[in-house]
Amino acid sequence: MEHIRCLIIGSGPAGYTAAIYAGRANLSPVLYEGIQPGGQLTITTEVENFPGYPEGVAGPDLMEDLRKQAERFGTDIRSAIAVKADLDERPYKITFDDGNTVEADTVIIATGATAKYLGLEDEKKYAGMGVSACATCDGFFYRKKTVAVVGGGDTACEEASYLAGLASKVYLLVRKPFLRASKIMQERVLDNPKIEVLFEHNAEGLYGENGVEGVHVVKRKGEADEQHYDLAIDGFFLAIGHKPNSEIFKPWVKTDETGYIITEGASPCTGIPGVFAAGDVADPHYRQAITAAASGCKAAIEAERYLLGNKL
Ligand code: NDP
């Protein structure tokens, strides 16, 4: 079985930053890209808050730069998804969807988080036929059409603003009477004449012959003046948060009720010696590219100290 000193699982800002630090520390890191090569930033548009880019940078370009930087210091980057873990004892064993199992002295879990859906049957029924969780990926298909975005956070506001640049009309369905997004994102949405924010609205189902033609909504659900009606739309976008990709590690590492890995204090240590967690998989609070990168850096430094301390 192949033996790896420093195994990094995931290729978002956390994974690549861990790889840059591990590479420069001569740990011969091997990085598996996982479900979404480059992570969530590859499906975003402009990143305006990553330090060092005064004019902003396109998400995919930022990730390509990080990848090149990781490769420059000798990271072996592979494309497979981790499907099984055995963290009972060192060396730890990880199995990938290409059938390969490797053993590793240190493991950095940087598997990120995946978009959530409402759980409606119709989301499955119309998957790829009008339902999407990524405006940047699919917005192009809705030029001059009408779409709805579900959610009230930064992602929902960002997606609604992006779609307003393509579609003729965007409904933002917000379940609460207010937006949770940051002030600047709220203003962008509320000032955009193409976006209509429908507060206290929930989606209950979709309809359409050969694709989405509309959404059944309920206004002020559970209240005396509850109201049901239909909105004609061509596209239905989910932007209601994410689920951490921690499933295969759960028998060994501590997680919170949502599945975020709980690390020791502000460190990336999981409690299993030599196993660290970095980025969104362990961060229910900040979930920013820059905080993910920082935790990837910490994880690589911890991995280096662990290897040194154990003469590995
Ligand atoms: P959030 O968890 O912040 O927001 C999720 C939104 O979806 C909330 O409005 C929530 O409603 C709503 N929601 C959740 N479940 C349901 C449901 N079942 N039905 C209807 N609505 C639902 O997630 P985001 O993805 O927006 O943001 C995650 C993190 O990433 C945040 O920290 C955010 O600041 C950051 N981010 C930053 C960006 C930037 O700075 N450019 C861009 C995108 C994200 P409720 O409020 O009622 O809970």
Side-chain angles (χ1 to χ4, degrees):
M1 194 182 298
E2 184 185 12
H3 186 92
I4 293 167
R5 287 183 79 209
C6 178
L7 173 66
I8 300 164
I9 311 173
S11 57
Y16 281 145
T17 306
I20 293 165
Y21 275 76
R24 293 186 80 252
N26 264 344
L27 307 188
S28 313
V30 173
L31 180 149
Y32 278 84
E33 285 181 321
I35 310 167
Q36 191 172 41
Q40 292 179 65
L41 283 189
T42 55
I43 54 163
T44 195
T45 40
E46 201 70 0
V47 180
E48 294 175 336
N49 50 14
F50 200 88
Y53 296 91
E55 306 302 328
V57 58
D61 293 348
L62 174 59
M63 295 321 297
E64 189 51 33
D65 284 350
L66 288 178
R67 182 191 167 99
K68 281 188 198 144
Q69 202 172 346
E71 280 177 327
R72 182 181 154 207
F73 298 111
T75 307
D76 179 350
I77 298 176
R78 303 175 185 176
S79 56
I81 299 167
V83 290
K84 197 171 150 223
D86 177 356
L87 306 182
D88 272 341
E89 57 182 7
R90 208 188 64 222
Y92 305 113
K93 289 165 199 68
I94 306 287
T95 304
F96 294 89
D97 66 345
D98 58 6
N100 251 348
T101 299
V102 301
E103 55 177 40
D105 292 327
T106 60
V107 179
I108 296 176
I109 304 168
T111 43
T114 304
K116 281 201 282 200
Y117 285 78
L118 293 170
L120 302 172
E121 269 307 310
D122 289 341
E123 288 170 322
K124 287 185 208 138
K125 181 175 168 190
Y126 294 102
M129 294 163 67
V131 173
S132 168
C134 175
T136 330
C137 316
D138 302 323
F140 192 70
F141 302 116
Y142 300 94
R143 276 166 299 161
K144 300 195 168 59
K145 297 196 171 172
T146 301
V147 298
V149 177
V150 184
D154 279 325
T155 303
C157 290
E158 194 176 66
E159 307 260 280
S161 302
Y162 176 76
L163 287 165
L166 296 160
S168 53
K169 169 95 187 173
V170 180
Y171 293 107
L172 185 59
L173 304 180
V174 184
R175 68 178 173 183
K176 292 224 173 100
F178 54 85
L179 290 166
R180 174 205 287 236
S182 55
K183 265 274 164 293
I184 184 167
M185 300 296 253
Q186 290 193 26
E187 279 164 16
R188 275 183 206 170
V189 161
L190 297 168
D191 292 347
N192 192 318
K194 279 197 190 171
I195 303 175
E196 185 176 340
V197 184
L198 300 175
F199 289 108
E200 298 182 88
H201 274 68
N202 281 282
E204 294 200 302
L206 299 163
Y207 61 90
E209 284 289 319
N210 297 310
V212 171
E213 289 172 17
V215 54
H216 305 299
V217 293
V218 52
K219 183 180 177 186
R220 289 180 52 76
K221 193 176 180 176
E223 301 298 325
D225 56 352
E226 176 179 300
Q227 198 187 332
H228 294 258
Y229 66 101
D230 291 345
L231 276 176
I233 54 163
D234 306 291
F236 184 72
F237 288 83
L238 284 313
I240 58 166
H242 293 80
K243 183 182 180 298
N245 298 315
S246 59
E247 215 53 51
I248 62 167
F249 307 105
K250 275 186 178 172
W252 295 277
V253 301
K254 278 193 222 121
T255 55
D256 71 6
E257 68 279 4
T258 318
Y260 286 98
I261 296 176
I262 299 170
T263 58
E264 294 172 351
S267 85
C269 303
T270 61
I272 312 257
V275 178
F276 310 98
D280 282 15
V281 72
D283 179 8
H285 299 293
Y286 302 107
R287 296 180 290 195
Q288 299 298 298
I290 190 65
T291 49
S295 64
C297 156
K298 289 191 210 172
I301 291 175
E302 291 290 350
E304 198 251 332
R305 289 182 186 162
Y306 177 80
L307 290 167
L308 197 69
N310 289 279
K311 299 191 172 51
L312 293 165

